[in-house]
Amino acid sequence: RSAQNFGPHLRSGESVARLHDLWVEEHARGHGVGRELFGSVRAWAKGRGVHWLQWNASTSAAAFYAALGLTPTPSEDSVHPFYELDLT
């Protein structure tokens, strides 16, 4: 996994972090590894006062994020849906 804290957003002043990569090898999927990795990124961001966690995912990851209760925001990119999570 890879994430980056970009600090305060220019307009809102609220801190924004970007999840760059979250990948689980196919043989390890379905065992909670992805859920644990995503939880650690979420905790990392929240622990640093991040307001918004944002990322683009592949369409093949949509079911994983849906299982976490997350839905993408409307976007023009149908191949890499955009997600934004309010951590406050």
Side-chain angles (χ1 to χ4, degrees):
R1 68 175 159 73
S2 174
Q4 181 179 4
N5 185 347
F6 284 98
H9 186 275
L10 291 174
R11 282 177 253 158
S12 71
E14 300 290 347
S15 186
V16 176
R18 180 94 180 145
L19 173 60
H20 296 291
D21 294 300
L22 190 141
W23 179 261
V24 176
E25 293 289 334
E26 196 167 335
H27 70 274
R29 294 177 187 167
H31 301 285
V33 175
R35 185 178 292 272
E36 195 169 316
L37 286 171
F38 186 79
S40 70
V41 169
R42 189 178 187 163
W44 168 85
K46 193 166 184 154
R48 283 160 180 74
V50 169
H51 185 120
W52 300 103
L53 179 60
Q54 302 173 337
W55 69 99
N56 287 82
S58 67
T59 52
S60 62
F64 167 72
Y65 291 115
L68 295 178
L70 304 170
T71 55
T73 60
S75 171
E76 294 177 7
D77 186 346
S78 61
V79 177
H80 299 97
F82 177 75
Y83 292 83
E84 184 172 63
L85 184 59
D86 184 341
L87 298 176
T88 58

